[in-house]
């Protein structure tokens, strides 16, 4: 048994988009290991290189440089084994409109050389909640159903590693919960290693044991979710005053801005000061509070912080 599901070293990707178009360095030398059995989050803003990385792991995009080992198999030396160990749910809803869900699963199983006797289309259809749509044409399926079918397709060859590229971008809450339930189940019951990309920090926070953050083709952070969140201790206390304040609160380690809706946004770092101190600064400024809420740091803040300190 390998301990790392994925081992990536010095990974680079340069896209040549056209004869006279400039080259695009989408990945600038990435080293990354993913522990077998974990749920791993690959985070980054749009254009960071997440899909490129995932598609390289899956053997769908050719790398320019570096080495990639999937489940212990070097991608260049053992392309067949390394492909067989990984299943991908892509970001794009690329489904053949003329296949039914059952047909699409059977074709996919055929592509991966799964013998008829070992196929489990019924079980997969059941898992992704498409049993009653098994014989419907893909073009009649809703966006959510298509996404579920893509998850099913990623599972036909029972891969050890499941990779999901922005599985919940733009999906409704019900589907999101179903996808998460499925992912947790695959991880807990089959020990499947899960790698997913997302730009929702809360989602990564809730689901992932470990997180890597990439920005403009480079790795800017790689840690356990708990450690990373400890770093991301930026908080914001939003105060709605009874009346427009004459003076703004001020104190050490808080930064106050006035918002268009009349609210006062008090930014601080949890390791430097407390909400109590921020609130006393408000009281000291003679401001009566009508309402108050807190805002967590979002991924945007985290990026600013990480790219500034890098
Ligand atoms: P992400 O998934 O993090 O949004 P991508 O991996 O899709 O990022 O893209 C990384 C960068 O590579 C972007 O600047 C994107 O425009 C560029 N890129 C992606 N695919 C291609 C391609 N086929 N040809 C040229 N450039 C591409
Ligand atoms: Mg992408």
């Amino acid at each position: 048994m390998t301990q790392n599901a994925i081992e990536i070293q010095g990974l680079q990707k340069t896209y040549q988009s056209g004869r006279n178009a400039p080259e695009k360095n989408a990945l600038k030398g990435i080293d990354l290991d993913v522990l077998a059995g974990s749920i791993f989050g690959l985070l980054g803003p749009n254009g960071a290189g997440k899909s490129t990385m995932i598609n390289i792991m899956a053997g769908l995009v050719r790398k320019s440089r570096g080495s990639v080992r999937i489940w212990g198999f070097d991608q260049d030396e053992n392309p067949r084994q390394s492909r067989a160990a990984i299943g991908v749910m892509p970001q794009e809803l690329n489904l053949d409109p003329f296949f039914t869900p059952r047909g699409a699963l059977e074709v996919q199983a055929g592509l991966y050389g799964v013998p008829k006797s070992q196929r489990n289309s019924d079980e997969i259809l059941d898992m992704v909640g498409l049993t009653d749509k098994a014989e419907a044409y893909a073009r009649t399926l809703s966006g959510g159903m298509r996404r579920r079918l893509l998850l099913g397709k990623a599972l036909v060859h029972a891969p050890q590693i499941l990779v999901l590229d922005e599985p919940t971008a733009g999906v409704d809450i019900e589907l999101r919960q179903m996808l998460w339930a499925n992912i947790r189940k695959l991880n807990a019951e089959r020990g499947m290693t899960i790698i997913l990309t997302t730009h929702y920090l809360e989602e990564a926070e809730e689901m992932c044991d470990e997180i890597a953050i990439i920005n403009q083709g480079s790795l800017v952070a790689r840690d356990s979710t708990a450690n990373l969140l400890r770093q991301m201790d930026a908080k914001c206390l939003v105060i709605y005053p009874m009346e427009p304040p004459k003076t703004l609160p001020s104190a050490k380690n808080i930064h106050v801005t006035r918002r268009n809706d009349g609210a006062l946004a008090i930014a601080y770092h949890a390791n430097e000061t407390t909400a109590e101190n921020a609130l006393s600064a408000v009281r000291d400024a003679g401001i009566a509070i009508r309402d108050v809420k807190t805002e967590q740091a979002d991924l945007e803040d985290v990026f600013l912080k990480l790219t500034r300190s890098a």
Side-chain angles (χ1 to χ4, degrees), residues 29-273:
I30 293 210
D31 300 328
L32 184 68
D33 292 343
V34 176
L35 204 63
S38 61
I39 301 187
F40 190 94
L42 186 60
L43 274 55
N46 273 335
K50 303 181 296 295
S51 294
T52 300
M53 197 147 147
I54 274 187
N55 290 332
I56 289 173
M57 289 180 204
L60 302 171
V61 166
R62 279 177 69 96
K63 63 183 190 295
S64 306
R65 255 213 178 95
S67 80
V68 176
R69 291 180 86 81
I70 310 283
W71 211 247
F73 296 108
D74 185 279
Q75 218 176 32
D76 299 327
E77 291 163 17
N78 298 91
R80 208 176 53 80
Q81 287 95 327
S82 69
R83 259 179 83 102
I86 201 165
V88 194
M89 178 179 169
Q91 188 170 5
E92 265 92 50
L93 294 175
N94 55 348
L95 283 168
D96 189 318
F98 297 104
F99 283 123
T100 65
R102 187 189 301 282
L105 293 182
E106 289 294 324
V107 168
Q108 185 81 355
L111 286 175
Y112 276 90
V114 182
K116 280 229 156 61
S117 62
Q118 285 173 29
R119 294 185 189 175
N120 50 1
S121 299
D122 287 330
E123 192 194 323
I124 292 174
L125 287 167
D126 181 49
M127 171 169 201
V128 299
L130 286 174
T131 302
D132 56 349
K133 292 282 175 185
E135 315 301 339
Y137 284 118
R139 64 182 144 82
T140 69
L141 301 177
S142 70
M145 292 173 186
R146 287 173 200 213
R147 218 167 265 274
R148 275 141 59 190
L149 178 54
L150 286 174
L151 173 61
K153 280 179 70 178
L155 297 171
V156 293
H157 58 294
Q160 289 92 335
I161 305 166
L162 174 65
V163 174
L164 308 110
D165 197 358
E166 311 246 0
T168 58
V171 311
D172 63 30
I173 290 175
E174 207 179 333
L175 175 58
R176 179 176 295 205
Q177 279 169 354
M178 181 198 184
L179 287 169
W180 289 139
N182 277 334
I183 289 165
R184 285 212 174 89
K185 200 167 162 211
L186 289 164
N187 178 255
E189 291 177 9
R190 302 195 202 171
M192 206 177 264
T193 305
I194 311 285
I195 300 173
L196 58 96
T197 72
T198 179
H199 51 258
Y200 301 119
L201 185 61
E202 315 157 40
E203 194 164 275
E205 190 177 329
E206 198 187 316
M207 293 290 299
C208 302
D209 313 315
E210 302 266 332
I211 288 178
I213 298 183
I214 61 172
N215 192 23
Q216 296 181 20
S218 300
L219 203 67
V220 295
R222 159 80 171 88
D223 214 329
S224 70
T225 307
N227 280 344
L228 218 46
L229 286 169
R230 255 193 291 278
Q231 276 186 47
M232 302 167 184
D233 61 349
K235 308 265 182 195
C236 189
L237 191 67
V238 184
I239 305 283
Y240 296 88
M242 300 282 264
E243 291 161 20
K246 292 183 195 73
T247 53
L248 291 185
S250 80
K252 202 171 164 233
N253 294 327
I254 66 170
H255 178 72
V256 184
T257 49
R258 209 190 284 257
R259 291 190 175 168
N260 288 337
D261 62 357
L264 299 177
I266 306 181
Y268 65 96
H269 285 280
N271 64 358
E272 289 172 351
T273 189

